[in-house]
Amino acid sequence: MQNKKGDKKSIELIQDFEMPGVSTNIKMSPDGNFILVTGIYKPRIKCYDVSNLSMKFERCFDSEVINFTILSQDYGKLAFLQSDRYVEFHAQYGRYYRTRIPKFGRDLAYHTPSCDLVIVGATNEVYRLNLELGRFNAPLITNSKTINRCVVNPVHHVLMFGTEEGHVEAWDQRSSKRVGVLDTAFSSITETTQ
């Protein structure tokens, strides 16, 4: 196929872009140069270099990765939430720190302005690990039994939590207070016949 200038258009594929078993998460680095993929079996991460169309590295874990977040512009700093209640931190050379959280986690996000790694899971508490100070801050307490998802709004830096009850809660990290709730399940409205 040729474009108007006469140059040929081509499709280029990344070599070895596969997992032996199942891929569980896939994310692109903020700079757009690397694709990171976690999967099983055996639990692992693979990093692919987009410009060279090849795999940069592969590392294995002790337990399955539930989710991960990229803490830097490239693949240089990563945080992995694992199924055995551990959060692992990796640099370019590999794992450099591992810490355990009180309850099983389901999701994590990085709040850049406060340097907090936000972890949610099988509890109503939102764990906040401050990466600048190296300690946990007081958890945020929600009205939910379980929190399934968390995300940070990139514009206003508001924390958003998706709960088991079908609510979306918005929290302001500066005041550690809830600023809004959206009931997406409409309080589980059911029609009864009489």
Side-chain angles (χ1 to χ4, degrees):
M1 185 176 189
Q2 293 185 353
N3 61 15
K4 293 179 183 178
K5 295 179 182 178
D7 298 333
K8 290 185 177 180
K9 290 184 180 180
S10 61
I11 297 174
E12 297 179 358
L13 301 175
I14 296 175
Q15 299 298 314
D16 300 321
F17 197 70
E18 63 183 4
M19 273 291 169
V22 176
S23 297
T24 55
N25 298 289
I26 183 167
K27 295 184 182 183
M28 183 164 253
S29 64
D31 65 6
N33 293 327
F34 303 97
I35 299 172
L36 295 129
V37 183
T38 60
I40 54 174
Y41 183 79
K42 177 174 179 169
R44 68 185 73 220
I45 182 170
K46 290 185 177 185
C47 178
Y48 298 95
D49 188 341
V50 175
S51 59
N52 291 330
L53 300 173
S54 62
M55 185 169 64
K56 186 135 185 92
F57 68 84
E58 177 179 7
R59 293 182 194 144
C60 291
F61 298 107
D62 295 332
S63 63
E64 184 179 336
V65 174
I66 295 171
N67 202 351
F68 72 98
T69 188
I70 303 167
L71 304 172
S72 61
Q73 289 298 310
D74 59 1
Y75 67 92
K77 295 178 184 175
L78 305 166
F80 298 94
L81 177 63
Q82 297 181 325
S83 61
D84 60 355
R85 292 182 22 206
Y86 276 97
V87 177
E88 276 192 13
F89 296 92
H90 286 235
Q92 289 181 344
Y93 58 84
R95 180 175 84 182
Y96 66 88
Y97 187 72
R98 191 171 192 220
T99 188
R100 194 167 171 102
I101 56 175
K103 302 277 183 171
F104 288 100
R106 294 191 177 169
D107 199 11
L108 78 165
Y110 183 55
H111 187 261
T112 309
S114 66
C115 292
D116 281 352
L117 184 65
V118 179
I119 307 160
V120 299
T123 180
N124 66 334
E125 296 179 329
V126 177
Y127 304 119
R128 299 180 300 157
L129 177 59
N130 188 282
L131 302 181
E132 186 176 33
L133 300 174
R135 65 177 171 86
F136 281 96
N137 290 330
L140 303 174
I141 309 297
T142 66
N143 292 337
S144 174
K145 293 179 186 172
T146 301
I147 306 169
N148 293 326
R149 282 285 285 148
C150 67
V151 68
V152 177
N153 180 297
V155 177
H156 304 291
H157 303 291
V158 174
L159 300 172
M160 308 292 285
F161 306 120
T163 69
E164 186 176 67
E165 293 83 11
H167 297 152
V168 176
E169 294 189 17
W171 287 71
D172 187 349
Q173 177 78 342
R174 296 169 296 182
S175 64
S176 297
K177 296 194 186 274
R178 186 174 60 194
V179 293
V181 177
L182 176 63
D183 185 0
T184 59
F186 301 108
S187 299
S188 301
I189 296 173
T190 58
E191 292 184 23
T192 58
T193 55
Q194 296 179 354

